[in-house]
């Protein structure tokens, strides 16, 4: 667990420093308003649905089933909302 915490601290520092330096030296750069990465978001939500769904259905994990169900449904809704947004914005627009 300590290695995970150290990795998270290093990554968050990197993101904060790079975003801060970019926004300081380039006034047109906004790290909080970057474009949506259309390829990674559906993959991210699918991986998280699998991450929560496999232990939920497999029954081999001692983690509380309620929390697994909440995580699974939340990512299912996020995937659905992103898919709806993507279709309305990029596919029907053309």
């Amino acid at each position: 667990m300590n290695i995970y915490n150290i990795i998270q601290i290093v990554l968050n520092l990197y993101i904060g420093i790079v975003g801060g330096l970019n926004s300081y030296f380039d006034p047109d750069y906004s790290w909080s308003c970057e474009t949506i990465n259309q390829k990674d978001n559906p993959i991210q939500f699918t991986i998280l649905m699998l991450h929560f769904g496999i232990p939920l259905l497999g029954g081999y994990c001692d983690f509380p089933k309620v929390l697994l169900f909440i995580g699974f449904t939340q990512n299912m809704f996020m995937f659905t909302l992103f898919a709806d947004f993507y279709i309305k914005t990029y596919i029907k627009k053309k």
Side-chain angles (χ1 to χ4, degrees):
M1 190 64 154
N2 290 333
I3 294 173
Y4 173 78
N5 292 338
I6 292 170
I7 291 171
Q8 288 296 315
I9 290 169
V10 169
L11 289 175
N12 287 327
L13 283 172
Y14 172 76
I15 291 169
I17 290 170
V18 169
L21 289 175
N22 283 336
S23 63
Y24 181 76
F25 290 112
D26 184 9
D28 295 331
Y29 178 80
S30 176
W31 61 271
S32 62
C33 296
E34 292 182 5
T35 58
I36 295 175
N37 191 341
Q38 300 166 2
K39 297 175 185 170
D40 292 341
N41 279 336
I43 294 170
Q44 173 188 359
F45 297 135
T46 304
I47 289 171
L48 285 171
M49 281 191 294
L50 288 171
H51 177 73
F52 287 111
I54 291 172
L56 180 66
L57 299 174
Y60 59 85
C61 184
D62 292 335
F63 199 75
K65 301 293 184 209
V66 172
L67 296 178
L68 290 172
F69 180 75
I70 290 170
F72 178 79
T73 53
Q74 187 232 355
N75 282 289
M76 184 178 61
F77 286 130
M78 292 300 293
F79 182 83
T80 305
L81 288 171
F82 181 78
D84 181 56
F85 163 76
Y86 183 81
I87 289 169
K88 287 181 180 176
T89 305
Y90 298 108
I91 294 177
K92 287 188 178 179
K93 185 178 180 180
K94 293 181 181 180

